[in-house]
Amino acid sequence: MFIQTEATPNPATLKFLPGRVVLTDGTFEARDTASAERSPLATALFAVPGVSGVYFGHDFISVTKADGVNEWPQVKPAVLGAIMDHFQSGRPVLAEGTALAEDETEEFYDEADHDTVVTIKDLLETRVRPAVAGDGGDITFRGYRDGIVYLEMKGACSGCPSSTATLRQGVQNLFRHFLPSVREVQAL
Protein backbone atom coordinates (compact mmCIF):
# COMPACT_ATOMS: atom_id res chain seq x y z
CA MET A 1 0.00 0.00 0.00
CA PHE A 2 1.34 3.42 -0.98
CA ILE A 3 0.07 6.46 0.93
CA GLN A 4 0.72 9.89 -0.53
CA THR A 5 1.06 12.93 1.69
CA GLU A 6 0.39 16.55 0.87
CA ALA A 7 1.08 19.73 2.77
CA THR A 8 -1.93 21.89 3.58
CA PRO A 9 -2.14 25.65 4.13
CA ASN A 10 -2.24 24.80 7.84
CA PRO A 11 1.35 23.96 8.90
CA ALA A 12 0.03 21.84 11.79
CA THR A 13 -1.93 19.55 9.42
CA LEU A 14 -0.89 17.05 6.76
CA LYS A 15 -3.22 15.41 4.25
CA PHE A 16 -2.80 11.65 3.75
CA LEU A 17 -4.13 9.98 0.58
CA PRO A 18 -4.35 6.20 1.04
CA GLY A 19 -5.35 5.56 -2.58
CA ARG A 20 -8.78 4.24 -1.63
CA VAL A 21 -12.10 5.50 -0.36
CA VAL A 22 -11.96 6.49 3.31
CA LEU A 23 -15.65 7.39 3.72
CA THR A 24 -18.28 6.70 1.07
CA ASP A 25 -20.62 9.39 2.41
CA GLY A 26 -20.16 12.41 4.65
CA THR A 27 -17.18 13.33 6.78
CA PHE A 28 -15.88 12.56 10.26
CA GLU A 29 -13.87 14.75 12.62
CA ALA A 30 -12.31 13.92 15.98
CA ARG A 31 -10.67 16.68 18.00
CA ASP A 32 -9.93 14.59 21.09
CA THR A 33 -9.54 10.97 22.17
CA ALA A 34 -13.15 10.78 23.38
CA SER A 35 -14.61 11.63 19.96
CA ALA A 36 -11.97 9.41 18.29
CA GLU A 37 -13.47 6.36 20.02
CA ARG A 38 -16.20 6.35 17.36
CA SER A 39 -13.58 5.26 14.82
CA PRO A 40 -10.98 2.49 15.06
CA LEU A 41 -8.76 4.44 12.64
CA ALA A 42 -9.07 7.70 14.57
CA THR A 43 -8.32 5.84 17.80
CA ALA A 44 -5.14 4.41 16.25
CA LEU A 45 -4.11 7.86 15.01
CA PHE A 46 -4.68 9.48 18.42
CA ALA A 47 -2.38 6.81 19.90
CA VAL A 48 0.47 8.44 17.93
CA PRO A 49 2.26 10.93 20.22
CA GLY A 50 1.59 14.48 19.07
CA VAL A 51 -1.66 13.88 17.15
CA SER A 52 -4.34 16.37 18.24
CA GLY A 53 -6.95 16.12 15.47
CA VAL A 54 -8.19 13.79 12.74
CA TYR A 55 -10.54 14.49 9.82
CA PHE A 56 -11.80 11.95 7.25
CA GLY A 57 -13.05 12.98 3.82
CA HIS A 58 -14.08 10.83 0.88
CA ASP A 59 -10.56 9.80 -0.13
CA PHE A 60 -8.26 11.52 2.35
CA ILE A 61 -7.31 11.74 5.99
CA SER A 62 -6.14 15.02 7.52
CA VAL A 63 -4.07 14.72 10.67
CA THR A 64 -3.27 17.69 12.91
CA LYS A 65 -0.38 17.67 15.33
CA ALA A 66 -0.25 19.59 18.58
CA ASP A 67 1.99 22.65 18.74
CA GLY A 68 5.37 22.16 20.35
CA VAL A 69 5.07 18.38 20.85
CA ASN A 70 6.98 16.96 17.88
CA GLU A 71 7.71 18.07 14.37
CA TRP A 72 6.28 16.31 11.32
CA PRO A 73 9.49 14.33 10.61
CA GLN A 74 8.94 12.58 13.97
CA VAL A 75 5.15 12.23 13.75
CA LYS A 76 4.62 11.39 10.06
CA PRO A 77 6.15 7.86 10.02
CA ALA A 78 3.97 6.72 12.92
CA VAL A 79 0.86 8.22 11.28
CA LEU A 80 1.67 6.45 8.01
CA GLY A 81 2.13 3.19 9.93
CA ALA A 82 -1.20 3.56 11.75
CA ILE A 83 -3.05 4.26 8.48
CA MET A 84 -1.39 1.34 6.68
CA ASP A 85 -2.01 -1.08 9.56
CA HIS A 86 -5.65 -0.05 9.73
CA PHE A 87 -6.42 -0.53 6.05
CA GLN A 88 -4.52 -3.81 5.86
CA SER A 89 -6.45 -5.15 8.87
CA GLY A 90 -9.81 -4.80 7.12
CA ARG A 91 -11.39 -3.05 10.13
CA PRO A 92 -14.07 -0.44 9.40
CA VAL A 93 -13.10 3.23 9.42
CA LEU A 94 -16.10 4.07 11.63
CA ALA A 95 -17.67 2.00 14.37
CA GLU A 96 -21.09 0.63 13.44
CA GLY A 97 -23.87 3.13 14.10
CA THR A 98 -21.59 6.17 14.05
CA ALA A 99 -23.39 9.30 12.84
CA LEU A 100 -21.47 11.44 10.39
CA ALA A 101 -20.65 15.11 10.92
CA GLU A 102 -23.40 16.57 8.75
CA ASP A 103 -26.07 15.07 11.00
CA GLU A 104 -24.72 16.49 14.25
CA THR A 105 -25.35 20.25 14.21
CA GLU A 106 -28.69 21.92 13.67
CA GLU A 107 -28.85 24.82 11.23
CA PHE A 108 -30.44 28.15 12.05
CA TYR A 109 -32.08 30.70 9.75
CA ASP A 110 -35.37 32.51 9.33
CA GLU A 111 -37.84 30.78 7.00
CA ALA A 112 -38.15 34.06 5.07
CA ASP A 113 -34.47 33.61 4.07
CA HIS A 114 -35.03 30.10 2.67
CA ASP A 115 -34.19 31.02 -0.96
CA THR A 116 -31.01 32.82 0.13
CA VAL A 117 -29.95 29.80 2.22
CA VAL A 118 -30.57 27.44 -0.72
CA THR A 119 -28.28 29.59 -2.89
CA ILE A 120 -25.62 29.74 -0.14
CA LYS A 121 -25.66 25.95 0.21
CA ASP A 122 -25.46 25.49 -3.55
CA LEU A 123 -22.45 27.81 -3.79
CA LEU A 124 -20.78 25.96 -0.91
CA GLU A 125 -21.35 22.55 -2.53
CA THR A 126 -20.34 23.48 -6.07
CA ARG A 127 -17.62 26.10 -5.64
CA VAL A 128 -16.22 26.18 -2.11
CA ARG A 129 -16.19 22.67 -0.62
CA PRO A 130 -14.34 21.01 -3.54
CA ALA A 131 -11.52 23.57 -3.26
CA VAL A 132 -11.35 23.31 0.53
CA ALA A 133 -11.32 19.48 0.36
CA GLY A 134 -8.31 19.80 -1.92
CA ASP A 135 -6.53 21.39 1.03
CA GLY A 136 -7.58 18.61 3.43
CA GLY A 137 -10.51 20.33 5.07
CA ASP A 138 -14.16 21.12 4.83
CA ILE A 139 -16.52 24.03 5.33
CA THR A 140 -20.17 23.59 6.21
CA PHE A 141 -23.19 25.85 6.52
CA ARG A 142 -24.43 26.41 10.07
CA GLY A 143 -26.72 29.42 9.81
CA TYR A 144 -27.78 32.74 8.31
CA ARG A 145 -29.07 35.75 10.21
CA ASP A 146 -29.15 39.50 9.48
CA GLY A 147 -26.96 39.22 6.39
CA ILE A 148 -24.30 37.15 8.15
CA VAL A 149 -23.48 33.62 6.98
CA TYR A 150 -22.16 31.32 9.72
CA LEU A 151 -19.87 28.53 8.58
CA GLU A 152 -17.90 25.82 10.35
CA MET A 153 -14.34 25.05 9.33
CA LYS A 154 -13.18 21.44 9.71
CA GLY A 155 -10.08 19.33 9.17
CA ALA A 156 -7.04 21.23 7.97
CA CYS A 157 -9.12 24.43 7.86
CA SER A 158 -9.91 24.37 11.57
CA GLY A 159 -7.33 26.55 13.27
CA CYS A 160 -5.54 27.32 10.02
CA PRO A 161 -3.83 30.72 9.97
CA SER A 162 -5.08 31.38 6.43
CA SER A 163 -8.71 30.33 7.07
CA THR A 164 -9.73 33.88 8.02
CA ALA A 165 -8.35 35.15 4.71
CA THR A 166 -10.13 32.31 2.87
CA LEU A 167 -13.42 33.28 4.47
CA ARG A 168 -13.05 37.03 3.95
CA GLN A 169 -11.42 37.22 0.54
CA GLY A 170 -12.77 34.07 -1.05
CA VAL A 171 -16.06 32.88 0.35
CA GLN A 172 -17.44 36.25 1.45
CA ASN A 173 -16.68 37.85 -1.92
CA LEU A 174 -18.24 34.90 -3.76
CA PHE A 175 -21.43 35.12 -1.70
CA ARG A 176 -21.64 38.91 -2.08
CA HIS A 177 -21.29 38.57 -5.85
CA PHE A 178 -24.29 36.22 -6.10
CA LEU A 179 -26.23 37.46 -3.05
CA PRO A 180 -25.99 41.21 -2.36
CA SER A 181 -27.91 40.66 0.91
CA VAL A 182 -24.88 38.87 2.39
CA ARG A 183 -22.88 41.37 4.44
CA GLU A 184 -20.36 39.11 6.14
CA VAL A 185 -19.18 35.53 6.62
CA GLN A 186 -18.14 34.29 10.06
CA ALA A 187 -16.65 31.03 11.31
CA LEU A 188 -18.28 29.34 14.27
Side-chain angles (χ1 to χ4, degrees), residues 43-187:
T43 299
L45 290 168
F46 268 92
V48 173
V51 170
S52 65
V54 174
Y55 179 80
F56 302 151
H58 176 72
D59 62 352
F60 69 90
I61 301 161
S62 292
V63 177
T64 302
K65 68 171 194 64
D67 289 334
V69 177
N70 288 315
E71 295 304 315
W72 277 116
Q74 289 80 37
V75 178
K76 184 177 169 182
V79 169
L80 286 167
I83 294 170
M84 189 173 300
D85 288 348
H86 177 82
F87 282 110
Q88 289 177 342
S89 76
R91 290 185 311 255
V93 171
L94 297 176
E96 196 168 318
T98 298
L100 296 175
E102 281 75 14
D103 301 330
E104 294 177 1
T105 306
E106 199 170 315
E107 298 174 351
F108 61 90
Y109 60 91
D110 188 306
E111 229 7 81
D113 295 322
H114 178 75
D115 291 344
T116 300
V117 169
V118 167
T119 303
I120 289 168
K121 288 180 176 183
D122 181 59
L123 289 169
L124 277 174
E125 286 299 316
T126 59
R127 296 182 182 225
V128 179
R129 289 184 79 196
V132 173
D135 285 338
D138 198 7
I139 186 168
T140 55
F141 175 82
R142 288 296 164 237
Y144 178 75
R145 185 178 297 134
D146 300 324
I148 301 173
V149 179
Y150 297 91
L151 303 172
E152 183 177 3
M153 308 293 274
K154 299 179 181 180
C157 299
S158 179
C160 177
S162 63
S163 66
T164 302
T166 299
L167 283 177
R168 294 279 188 265
Q169 296 166 359
V171 179
Q172 183 171 287
N173 288 343
L174 174 71
F175 288 167
R176 283 180 174 171
H177 175 77
F178 287 97
L179 298 162
S181 62
V182 171
R183 293 184 301 114
E184 185 179 354
V185 174
Q186 291 184 7

Side-chain angles (χ1 to χ4, degrees), residues 18 20-28 55-61 133:
R20 60 182 65 184
V21 172
V22 176
L23 290 178
T24 54
D25 294 309
T27 62
F28 174 81
Y55 179 80
F56 302 151
H58 176 72
D59 62 352
F60 69 90
I61 301 161

